[in-house]
Amino acid sequence: LLNVILAILLPAVLIGAAIPAQTAPSTTCRDVTTAYANSTNAHFRLQGQVVGMLRWGFVLDDQTGPVIIMVPHQTPFRRGDIVTVLGTAGSSKEFGCPFVNALDVQLISQQAAPPLIETTGAEFLTEKHILKEVALRGVITDAFRDEVDPTWDILILNASGTKVLIWVPADTLDENK
């Protein structure tokens, strides 16, 4: 059993400076609030800070709220970067929230990453910090490969008496690394 502090992106999961541009839409929405209101077929030009990294994109916060940005390949961006995203809105039951499919992402500037939000196990489970990176202290009581998607491992974390399931990339727990 291991005492840990985990940096976690809710929901639970770097090489150039841009994703190739595609044709710009004729009309665009300019904030994340609008992205949630128009979850399909809308075009967006958003500018904000990268606040979390995902396997298939990143989370952008433009001060109106966070939104998932899907990209077709690994991104060159880091937490803290200020970027402009041109994309189309999408929605999926799998994600449980709207997202933006990036057509073009441009780096505006590099800034320090925002601080992690300290939270408890009980608060973590309320989804208060959805799409935000948090620090959660606890003891790992078990770890195993996800049977549905073997590219993920699942940790069971006891965070002050609250059991929390945490998904991490499968190679994270590889003892040979």
Side-chain angles (χ1 to χ4, degrees), residues 29 31-44 67-68 88-93 96-101:
C29 302
D31 63 68
V32 170
T33 302
T34 307
Y36 282 103
N38 300 292
S39 61
T40 57
N41 300 323
H43 291 90
F44 296 92
V67 67
I68 294 172
T88 59
S91 182
S92 165
K93 290 181 182 177
C97 63
F99 57 88
V100 172
N101 288 304

Side-chain angles (χ1 to χ4, degrees), residues 31-122:
D31 63 68
V32 170
T33 302
T34 307
Y36 282 103
N38 300 292
S39 61
T40 57
N41 300 323
H43 291 90
F44 296 92
R45 182 179 308 277
L46 304 173
Q47 184 169 321
Q49 185 174 44
V50 175
V51 295
M53 301 304 301
L54 305 167
R55 276 188 177 181
W56 25 260
F58 56 91
V59 177
L60 180 82
D61 190 335
D62 73 347
Q63 302 305 311
T64 68
V67 67
I68 294 172
I69 306 295
M70 305 281 290
V71 295
H73 48 75
Q74 191 174 16
T75 69
F77 309 108
R78 300 184 315 241
R79 286 183 67 241
D81 287 351
I82 305 299
V83 298
T84 297
V85 177
L86 176 66
T88 59
S91 182
S92 165
K93 290 181 182 177
E94 180 180 346
F95 295 123
C97 63
F99 57 88
V100 172
N101 288 304
L103 301 174
D104 182 47
V105 182
Q106 297 293 320
L107 178 66
I108 303 300
S109 66
Q110 293 180 321
Q111 305 213 358
L116 297 175
I117 300 166
E118 294 277 337
T119 190
T120 65

Side-chain angles (χ1 to χ4, degrees), residues 101-169:
N101 288 304
L103 301 174
D104 182 47
V105 182
Q106 297 293 320
L107 178 66
I108 303 300
S109 66
Q110 293 180 321
Q111 305 213 358
L116 297 175
I117 300 166
E118 294 277 337
T119 190
T120 65
E123 184 178 71
F124 180 86
L125 294 178
T126 68
E127 299 183 359
K128 175 182 177 181
H129 303 298
I130 197 80
L131 293 180
K132 307 252 172 133
E133 285 196 331
V134 300
L136 180 61
R137 297 176 190 269
V139 176
I140 296 174
T141 59
D142 200 2
F144 51 92
R145 183 74 21 102
D146 186 332
E147 294 176 7
V148 175
D149 183 352
T151 63
W152 292 96
D153 284 338
I154 300 172
L155 306 177
I156 297 180
L157 184 73
N158 183 338
S160 302
T162 301
K163 290 191 178 179
V164 179
L165 297 177
I166 308 294
W167 276 257
V168 296

